[in-house]
Amino acid sequence: MAVAHSEWLPAIREIDPAVAVCAIGDVHGRADLLAEIHFSIAREIDLISPDAAHCVHLGDLIDRGPESLRALKLAMEGIAGVESHTLIGNHEYRLLQLLEMPDAEMMERWLKNGGAEFFEELGVDPNGRWEQPVAKHLGKQLMEWLHSLPLKLQFGKLLFVHAGIRPQHFYRTPDRRHARMDSRALAVFGRAV
């Protein structure tokens, strides 16, 4: 499959013209497409030769598609010559929640919304004792990386989040691990809720 290409568009918020910034959202287990996108971004960065380049994966790398593990690994590895960042999406967050504290109702919702494909890929029965086999498939490095993923990332006046944000969150955050956000920032997100 060919990746569609268009000319770079000017940013609607002022950013450093010597810095290239791109975002990839909601891969949902389609590692094949993510690999193509990474290749295309690397090629484009070589062509435009910015002083710095950043790529932000906006979360939801897993579920629905056939290659969630590979999608996670590709995001974790990043793109050569590009500073890669990954945000946690609600699908990764749900996986981590259920690994820490199993909940039958939450599991049922997850399975209906793409989780079934994740378990099928791993060959693990979600109705049994699935936590240890899934953690083993993910491995220590990937698990630590998933736990380290932030909810948001801000470059100057560009704010990256997985899904839509509420305006009041520009001024305060519920947990102390995240810095305040600039209310004049432009939000870049993968999907709105």
Side-chain angles (χ1 to χ4, degrees):
M1 171 185 278
V3 174
H5 179 272
S6 63
E7 294 303 314
W8 285 84
L9 300 174
I12 63 174
R13 292 284 193 274
E14 188 178 322
I15 60 171
D16 184 344
V19 177
V21 180
C22 64
I24 303 169
D26 296 73
V27 171
H28 283 297
R30 290 299 309 270
D32 57 335
L33 298 179
L34 182 57
E36 284 190 50
I37 292 169
H38 278 188
F39 178 78
S40 294
I41 290 169
R43 189 177 62 226
E44 188 73 19
I45 295 302
D46 282 345
L47 290 173
I48 64 173
S49 301
D51 292 343
H54 298 270
C55 180
V56 182
H57 297 91
L58 298 170
D60 278 4
L61 295 160
I62 67 169
D63 298 341
R64 299 185 183 152
E67 293 184 288
S68 290
L69 280 182
R70 182 171 168 234
L72 288 170
K73 289 174 184 175
L74 285 169
M76 187 171 70
E77 291 166 5
I79 303 168
V82 176
E83 189 170 338
S84 294
H85 313 271
T86 302
L87 304 179
I88 193 164
N90 56 301
H91 287 255
E92 292 86 21
Y93 184 74
R94 181 161 294 146
L95 167 63
L96 294 177
Q97 276 185 307
L98 288 168
L99 280 167
E100 290 178 18
M101 187 173 21
D103 177 297
E105 189 176 311
M106 185 186 297
M107 175 62 90
E108 186 177 331
R109 282 194 313 271
W110 183 32
L111 292 173
K112 288 179 182 177
N113 287 295
E117 290 86 344
F118 178 75
F119 284 100
E120 184 177 314
E121 174 188 349
L122 301 182
V124 174
D125 180 2
N127 299 310
R129 305 277 311 155
W130 62 271
E131 298 87 355
Q132 284 187 345
V134 166
K136 185 176 179 182
H137 278 287
L138 291 170
K140 182 181 180 193
Q141 184 181 21
L142 204 49
M143 286 291 292
E144 288 174 356
W145 179 75
L146 283 168
H147 280 285
S148 76
L149 299 179
L151 294 171
K152 66 183 182 304
L153 180 68
Q154 189 163 353
F155 291 123
K157 294 183 179 179
L158 294 175
L159 171 67
F160 295 86
V161 294
H162 167 65
I165 55 173
R166 294 184 178 96
Q168 65 268 27
H169 291 289
F170 274 106
Y171 304 106
R172 63 180 171 76
T173 57
D175 58 3
R176 303 270 179 205
R177 5 178 247 164
H178 302 291
R180 289 178 182 256
M181 297 175 261
D182 183 341
S183 63
R184 296 161 296 176
L186 170 69
V188 179
F189 53 88
R191 73 177 190 91
V193 290

